[in-house]
Amino acid sequence: MREEILDLYAEPLALPTPRLDAEPREAAIGDSTIEVENFFDLALTELAALRGGLNIAAISRTVEIIRTALGRGGRVHVTGVGKPEHVARYAASVFCSVGTPATFLHATETLHGSLGQVHPRDVVIAISNSGSTDELLSTATAIREQGAQLIAITGNKDSSLGQLADLVIHVPIPNEGGGLGLAPRISVLGEVFVLAGLSVALELAHGLTVEEYSRWHRAGAIGEAARRLVETRTSGRRA
């Protein structure tokens, strides 16, 4: 057996023949540079338009709903399908880090038994640019039937998700950018932009202190900076 294996790997590997008609790589890089620059310009334009039309009152109302739910023993969940799933994971993480306990809710798993973790006292934030993703709509319907409150983060306030939700934070991003303009890019930036803003409001509502932040961030550069700030304040009070 050993000899057979050695003979097998002793044979030269057949490598693919390069295409003789392929475009020079330098030209492709030059073309992509222009496309990337256009993307950055478009992203800034879209985010500026989003900021100009953003309903800050909806964010304030979301904070009220979340704080009320926490006050009665409820919890916060964040969900999404596709790229918004990753946004949901970020949102749940950053909410926790600034004083609002939150969990990521897997939309598909919710339909296969995980709905049991959602109680009527809870709040679920559902993220979908189109507001019409079938899997998320099934999950949102189940969440409403469970009695929990539903907040939609969507680029289409009149969508099916928007109709199901108790509250909608409208995040319209008409153009995604890129060669085809199809891959979720700027819409994801918009969702993160709004949810980061929501985390700021939740941090203030919680009254987060640097001592709390230091306790929760035990490692990394952020944790070290927080500890130094605590030590500086403690030394100042002693002086």
Side-chain angles (χ1 to χ4, degrees):
M1 177 65 73
R2 180 175 180 275
E3 288 73 14
E4 293 177 358
I5 294 175
L6 290 175
D7 290 341
L8 176 63
Y9 283 95
E11 297 180 1
L13 295 176
L15 299 176
T17 303
R19 284 179 50 195
L20 298 179
D21 60 342
E23 293 291 331
R25 190 168 181 82
E26 290 77 10
I29 293 175
D31 293 342
S32 67
T33 299
I34 296 173
E35 193 65 42
V36 169
E37 290 178 345
N38 290 338
F39 169 76
F40 286 144
D41 291 339
L42 179 61
L44 292 175
T45 299
E46 291 289 345
L47 291 176
L50 171 63
R51 171 64 186 92
L54 196 59
N55 185 357
I56 303 298
I59 293 178
S60 298
R61 178 59 183 146
T62 298
V63 173
E64 292 175 3
I65 291 173
I66 289 174
R67 297 294 296 173
T68 299
L70 293 175
R72 61 174 181 245
R75 295 166 298 177
V76 179
H77 311 270
V78 195
T79 189
V81 172
K83 302 301 182 291
E85 174 183 326
H86 303 289
V87 177
R89 291 181 184 275
Y90 159 76
S93 177
V94 75
F95 290 170
C96 288
S97 74
V98 295
T100 297
T103 60
F104 166 72
L105 180 67
H106 195 288
T108 304
E109 292 295 332
T110 300
L111 301 174
H112 292 270
S114 293
L115 184 62
Q117 68 181 288
V118 179
H119 295 173
R121 297 184 302 272
D122 294 352
V123 176
V124 179
I125 299 174
I127 309 166
S128 171
N129 183 42
S130 68
S132 60
T133 305
D134 289 338
E135 303 95 320
L136 189 62
L137 290 177
S138 297
T139 300
T141 300
I143 288 167
R144 289 305 307 269
E145 291 174 353
Q146 192 76 348
Q149 289 182 285
L150 181 67
I151 297 172
I153 307 287
T154 180
N156 184 358
K157 62 182 178 182
D158 298 319
S159 63
S160 296
L161 179 62
Q163 297 299 318
L164 281 169
D166 296 288
L167 177 67
V168 174
I169 299 180
H170 191 208
V171 187
I173 299 289
N175 301 299
E176 292 285 9
L180 298 177
L182 295 175
R185 292 188 176 99
I186 304 179
S187 64
V188 170
L189 295 177
E191 291 157 1
V192 171
F193 183 63
V194 169
L195 287 162
L198 174 59
S199 75
V200 171
L202 289 171
E203 175 183 334
L204 293 174
H206 173 78
L208 182 68
T209 66
V210 68
E211 287 79 12
E212 286 178 312
Y213 197 81
S214 174
R215 286 199 305 271
W216 298 336
H217 290 73
R218 300 298 182 97
I222 292 177
E224 183 179 351
R227 287 191 296 276
R228 284 201 303 267
L229 186 54
V230 170
E231 291 170 1
T232 299
R233 291 188 175 186
T234 301
S235 300
R237 284 196 293 266
R238 288 173 180 171

